[in-house]
Amino acid sequence: MSNKCRVCDAETKFVISYGKMPLANAFLEPSQYDKEYFFELAVSHCPSCKMLQLIDQPKPELMFHEEYAFFSGTSKAMAVHFEDKANSHIQEFIKSPSDAFVIELGSNDGIMLKHFAKNKIKHLGIEPSRNVAEVARQNGVDTIVEFFGKETAQKVLNTHGKADIISASNVMCHIPDLRSVGQGVDLLLKDDGVFEFEDPYLGAMIEKTSYDQIYDEHVYIFSVTSVDNAFAPYGLEVFHVTPLETHGGSMRYHLCRKGAHPIRQSVIDQKAKEKSLGLDTYETYEKFAQSCEKNKKELVELLQNLKSEGKRVVGYAATSKSTTILNYCGIGSDLIECIYDTTPIKQNKFTPGMHIPVKSFDDFYNNAPDYAVLFAWNHAKEIFAKEESYTQSGKNWITFCPDVKVA
Ligand code: TYD
Ligand code: ZN
């Protein structure tokens, strides 16, 4: 394990280890248990560029491949979110739709770019997972199957020219080599172009102790301060930010070439908030590590008590995030009998590491448990509305973020 910052090479400071961890999306069958991959999930903070980062990380090829299990289109709220994002880009940053060019990195199943396709705006999705890219193509979204970096940027520059917008959602924090991204964006972005991305926000994670945002795919948890520092060497700066509700608290960063757009008040205000939250000081992360330990203890105690009372407890949604919770807390099928999930390729498999069975929702409705642990807590509003009859029949929800509680 190296303690060198992935972004600026300074010595980082160790924050917490969540122990031996599998890949968050490596749902598997019992025949695969003996070759299951594990790594140590641990986090450090860079005192110089302020980036919170994974110390060790599996190779991206292990995580984003032919069988990538995450399809953006599975949540209705997310579909609306990405339609709004496409429309706001078209209104604010596209001057002339007929000669505009929009790139999305990690375009998944085309959930956002399809709105550009619909408006006949030239676009290109760059997506490393073939199965989701195939769905995007079926949706009429031009997509190439590649990882993004300097080399892909050069290829796209040669074939398509420079971009007005380079966008990415829940992707930038997946890319270990931000330097190559910075170089790629520098190559591809028009002089007044906008490089925009959104990811789970460090401020929200610290405020909510939502440590389940930390897993193999999230190599960074960004703040405005750390993003500004990371891309400054490539002549880029953050000129506007928008806090978002998605993924339990995200931030949308708009960057441009230095001086190309005036720095908006949103950036000044958010940086001030980050200072007052202490995101630049190590003590904040020491406290965060203690809160994680406390949360773990309370969740395990609650589940053990319910078990001793003979209650039936299941999980709701086999999210990537749940892999960190289950493995760090050591929760297996003795405490949570199964997890229900809408994703067909997760169903009838077992969760990474703890091997809890994943089932389709039919069973949840036919044979309702006493308690359901809400692993998709970030979609609580949508789920509580959808599952009103479960709640009204006197059944219970368990949430663990920000605090462990029965709702
Ligand atoms: P999300 O919080 O977006 O996931 P992640 O932590 O993986 O980023 O939730 C997506 C997962 O949750 C996916 O496996 C489908 C499942 N899910 C349900 O099963 N039912 C639901 O109502 C929702 C919103 C998600
Ligand atoms: Zn650094």
Side-chain angles (χ1 to χ4, degrees), residues 81-102:
H81 174 81
F82 288 117
E83 181 170 5
D84 288 350
K85 173 161 166 160
N87 289 336
S88 91
H89 275 331
I90 291 169
Q91 276 166 18
E92 207 178 352
F93 299 119
I94 302 247
K95 280 170 245 130
S96 161
S98 58
D99 49 37
F101 177 38
V102 179

Short mmCIF file of all heavy atoms in Angstrom, two decimals, residues 81-102:
data_model
loop_
_atom_site.label_atom_id
_atom_site.label_comp_id
_atom_site.label_asym_id
_atom_site.label_seq_id
_atom_site.Cartn_x
_atom_site.Cartn_y
_atom_site.Cartn_z
N HIS A 81 -33.79 12.87 -13.39
CA HIS A 81 -32.59 13.65 -13.07
C HIS A 81 -31.73 13.89 -14.31
O HIS A 81 -31.28 15.00 -14.57
CB HIS A 81 -31.80 12.87 -12.00
CG HIS A 81 -30.47 13.46 -11.66
ND1 HIS A 81 -30.33 14.53 -10.79
CD2 HIS A 81 -29.22 13.14 -12.06
CE1 HIS A 81 -29.04 14.82 -10.68
NE2 HIS A 81 -28.35 14.00 -11.45
N PHE A 82 -31.52 12.83 -15.12
CA PHE A 82 -30.63 12.97 -16.27
C PHE A 82 -31.30 13.69 -17.44
O PHE A 82 -30.62 14.33 -18.23
CB PHE A 82 -30.06 11.61 -16.68
CG PHE A 82 -29.03 11.13 -15.69
CD1 PHE A 82 -29.22 9.98 -14.95
CD2 PHE A 82 -27.88 11.88 -15.47
CE1 PHE A 82 -28.28 9.57 -14.01
CE2 PHE A 82 -26.93 11.48 -14.54
CZ PHE A 82 -27.12 10.32 -13.81
N GLU A 83 -32.61 13.59 -17.51
CA GLU A 83 -33.31 14.38 -18.54
C GLU A 83 -33.17 15.87 -18.21
O GLU A 83 -32.87 16.69 -19.07
CB GLU A 83 -34.79 13.96 -18.61
CG GLU A 83 -35.53 14.74 -19.67
CD GLU A 83 -36.93 14.21 -19.95
OE1 GLU A 83 -37.38 13.28 -19.25
OE2 GLU A 83 -37.56 14.76 -20.88
N ASP A 84 -33.35 16.21 -16.93
CA ASP A 84 -33.19 17.61 -16.50
C ASP A 84 -31.78 18.10 -16.77
O ASP A 84 -31.56 19.23 -17.19
CB ASP A 84 -33.46 17.74 -14.99
CG ASP A 84 -34.95 17.57 -14.66
OD1 ASP A 84 -35.75 17.55 -15.60
OD2 ASP A 84 -35.26 17.43 -13.46
N LYS A 85 -30.81 17.23 -16.52
CA LYS A 85 -29.41 17.64 -16.71
C LYS A 85 -29.15 17.93 -18.19
O LYS A 85 -28.54 18.94 -18.53
CB LYS A 85 -28.49 16.53 -16.21
CG LYS A 85 -27.01 16.76 -16.50
CD LYS A 85 -26.18 15.90 -15.57
CE LYS A 85 -24.74 15.79 -15.98
NZ LYS A 85 -23.88 15.36 -14.88
N ALA A 86 -29.64 17.04 -19.06
CA ALA A 86 -29.45 17.25 -20.50
C ALA A 86 -30.10 18.57 -20.92
O ALA A 86 -29.48 19.38 -21.62
CB ALA A 86 -30.05 16.08 -21.28
N ASN A 87 -31.32 18.80 -20.45
CA ASN A 87 -32.01 20.03 -20.84
C ASN A 87 -31.29 21.27 -20.33
O ASN A 87 -31.20 22.27 -21.02
CB ASN A 87 -33.46 20.01 -20.33
CG ASN A 87 -34.28 19.00 -21.13
OD1 ASN A 87 -33.93 18.69 -22.27
ND2 ASN A 87 -35.35 18.48 -20.54
N SER A 88 -30.77 21.21 -19.10
CA SER A 88 -30.10 22.40 -18.58
C SER A 88 -28.79 22.65 -19.35
O SER A 88 -28.43 23.80 -19.61
CB SER A 88 -29.92 22.34 -17.06
OG SER A 88 -28.71 21.77 -16.72
N HIS A 89 -28.11 21.61 -19.78
CA HIS A 89 -26.91 21.79 -20.61
C HIS A 89 -27.27 22.43 -21.94
O HIS A 89 -26.60 23.34 -22.41
CB HIS A 89 -26.26 20.44 -20.91
CG HIS A 89 -25.32 19.99 -19.83
ND1 HIS A 89 -24.63 20.88 -19.03
CD2 HIS A 89 -24.93 18.76 -19.42
CE1 HIS A 89 -23.88 20.20 -18.17
NE2 HIS A 89 -24.04 18.91 -18.39
N ILE A 90 -28.35 21.94 -22.54
CA ILE A 90 -28.76 22.46 -23.85
C ILE A 90 -29.09 23.95 -23.73
O ILE A 90 -28.65 24.77 -24.53
CB ILE A 90 -29.96 21.65 -24.42
CG1 ILE A 90 -29.47 20.23 -24.78
CG2 ILE A 90 -30.58 22.34 -25.63
CD1 ILE A 90 -30.57 19.22 -25.11
N GLN A 91 -29.82 24.30 -22.66
CA GLN A 91 -30.21 25.70 -22.49
C GLN A 91 -29.04 26.60 -22.16
O GLN A 91 -28.90 27.69 -22.69
CB GLN A 91 -31.23 25.82 -21.36
CG GLN A 91 -32.63 25.56 -21.85
CD GLN A 91 -33.59 25.35 -20.69
OE1 GLN A 91 -33.29 25.71 -19.56
NE2 GLN A 91 -34.73 24.75 -20.97
N GLU A 92 -28.15 26.12 -21.27
CA GLU A 92 -27.13 27.04 -20.76
C GLU A 92 -25.85 27.07 -21.59
O GLU A 92 -25.21 28.10 -21.72
CB GLU A 92 -26.81 26.70 -19.30
CG GLU A 92 -26.31 27.93 -18.57
CD GLU A 92 -26.02 27.69 -17.09
OE1 GLU A 92 -26.33 26.61 -16.57
OE2 GLU A 92 -25.43 28.60 -16.48
N PHE A 93 -25.44 25.92 -22.13
CA PHE A 93 -24.09 25.86 -22.70
C PHE A 93 -24.03 25.53 -24.19
O PHE A 93 -22.96 25.47 -24.76
CB PHE A 93 -23.23 24.87 -21.91
CG PHE A 93 -23.07 25.24 -20.46
CD1 PHE A 93 -23.53 24.40 -19.45
CD2 PHE A 93 -22.50 26.45 -20.09
CE1 PHE A 93 -23.39 24.74 -18.11
CE2 PHE A 93 -22.36 26.81 -18.76
CZ PHE A 93 -22.81 25.95 -17.76
N ILE A 94 -25.17 25.26 -24.82
CA ILE A 94 -25.13 24.96 -26.26
C ILE A 94 -25.66 26.17 -27.02
O ILE A 94 -26.86 26.47 -26.95
CB ILE A 94 -25.97 23.71 -26.58
CG1 ILE A 94 -25.43 22.55 -25.77
CG2 ILE A 94 -26.04 23.44 -28.08
CD1 ILE A 94 -24.79 21.44 -26.48
N LYS A 95 -24.76 26.86 -27.72
CA LYS A 95 -25.18 28.07 -28.42
C LYS A 95 -25.83 27.71 -29.75
O LYS A 95 -26.84 28.28 -30.14
CB LYS A 95 -23.98 29.00 -28.63
CG LYS A 95 -23.66 29.80 -27.36
CD LYS A 95 -22.33 30.53 -27.47
CE LYS A 95 -21.32 29.99 -26.48
NZ LYS A 95 -20.04 29.65 -26.94
N SER A 96 -25.20 26.77 -30.44
CA SER A 96 -25.70 26.41 -31.77
C SER A 96 -25.82 24.90 -31.90
O SER A 96 -24.83 24.22 -32.17
CB SER A 96 -24.73 27.00 -32.80
OG SER A 96 -24.90 26.36 -34.03
N PRO A 97 -27.03 24.36 -31.69
CA PRO A 97 -27.20 22.90 -31.66
C PRO A 97 -26.67 22.22 -32.92
O PRO A 97 -26.17 21.10 -32.86
CB PRO A 97 -28.71 22.72 -31.55
CG PRO A 97 -29.22 24.01 -31.00
CD PRO A 97 -28.28 25.08 -31.45
N SER A 98 -26.72 22.92 -34.08
CA SER A 98 -26.34 22.23 -35.32
C SER A 98 -24.85 21.96 -35.40
O SER A 98 -24.43 21.03 -36.09
CB SER A 98 -26.82 23.03 -36.53
OG SER A 98 -26.27 24.31 -36.45
N ASP A 99 -23.99 22.79 -34.73
CA ASP A 99 -22.57 22.41 -34.77
C ASP A 99 -21.98 22.15 -33.38
O ASP A 99 -20.77 22.25 -33.18
CB ASP A 99 -21.72 23.40 -35.58
CG ASP A 99 -21.98 24.83 -35.19
OD1 ASP A 99 -22.19 25.08 -33.98
OD2 ASP A 99 -22.01 25.69 -36.07
N ALA A 100 -22.85 21.79 -32.46
CA ALA A 100 -22.36 21.45 -31.12
C ALA A 100 -21.92 19.99 -31.07
O ALA A 100 -22.34 19.18 -31.90
CB ALA A 100 -23.46 21.68 -30.10
N PHE A 101 -21.07 19.71 -30.12
CA PHE A 101 -20.63 18.32 -29.91
C PHE A 101 -20.53 18.07 -28.40
O PHE A 101 -19.88 18.83 -27.67
CB PHE A 101 -19.27 18.10 -30.59
CG PHE A 101 -18.69 16.72 -30.38
CD1 PHE A 101 -19.51 15.58 -30.37
CD2 PHE A 101 -17.32 16.55 -30.20
CE1 PHE A 101 -18.97 14.31 -30.18
CE2 PHE A 101 -16.77 15.29 -30.01
CZ PHE A 101 -17.59 14.16 -29.99
N VAL A 102 -21.22 17.03 -27.95
CA VAL A 102 -21.28 16.72 -26.52
C VAL A 102 -20.71 15.32 -26.27
O VAL A 102 -21.09 14.37 -26.95
CB VAL A 102 -22.74 16.76 -26.02
CG1 VAL A 102 -22.83 16.41 -24.54
CG2 VAL A 102 -23.35 18.12 -26.28
#
